[in-house]
Amino acid sequence: MTQALTPHPSTPCPAARALSVEARREGARLALVYRLTGALGDLAIPAAAGPAWADGLWEHTCFEAFASTGGEDYLEFNLSPSRQWAAYRFDGYRTGMARLQIAPPRVEVRQAGETLELRADIELPLSGSVRLGLTAVIETTDRSMSYWALQHPPGRPDFHHPDARVLAV
């Protein structure tokens, strides 16, 4: 099922008209399809590169997923249109961050007209019911940042907040 992401009220982005994501869990795999529609020429989209681990992807246009099973610990996955990726485990809210050892996700990126599509197949080392926070950071060519999510908790943009993990898979 397709889910719409919305920009945080404090970070609108007129160049991005719509952003949606499909999430499907198949056992220990999480399949994600992000679709960004808008004036792509006004967005700072990282150039294609080989698939590789990279830190700091959230500092530029990046699609993200946060996953938990209801406890304080959670996982964060960063997927760049460059095809670079990162995965982290947290012991609690923004604490105990460590690189998550998983098989490299398969990331495919397509761009046609006003649509950018990123497909990812990720190893999800969680069992049982999982709650997802699906998010994105969108950067414009003038370097302004917009923060998109299924649901934004009160206050400033905060993808790590447990209230942002609202989709059950």
Side-chain angles (χ1 to χ4, degrees), residues 72-147:
E72 290 188 22
D73 60 322
Y74 62 97
L75 308 178
E76 176 183 353
F77 301 95
N78 302 151
L79 305 160
S80 172
S82 69
R83 297 190 322 150
Q84 294 175 310
W85 64 277
Y88 307 95
R89 177 181 299 279
F90 290 82
D91 295 332
Y93 176 72
R94 295 185 178 270
T95 63
M97 180 179 165
R99 183 174 171 171
L100 180 63
Q101 300 298 322
I102 61 169
R106 189 182 83 239
V107 179
E108 298 173 3
V109 179
R110 294 184 195 132
Q111 188 172 329
E114 294 188 331
T115 301
L116 172 73
E117 181 178 274
L118 181 140
R119 293 177 173 265
D121 187 22
I122 302 168
E123 178 183 330
L124 186 61
L126 298 173
S127 59
S129 180
V130 172
R131 307 278 304 168
L132 292 178
L134 301 172
T135 65
V137 176
I138 306 298
E139 182 180 17
T140 63
T141 54
D142 69 3
R143 301 294 176 231
S144 64
M145 305 298 273
S146 182
Y147 301 94

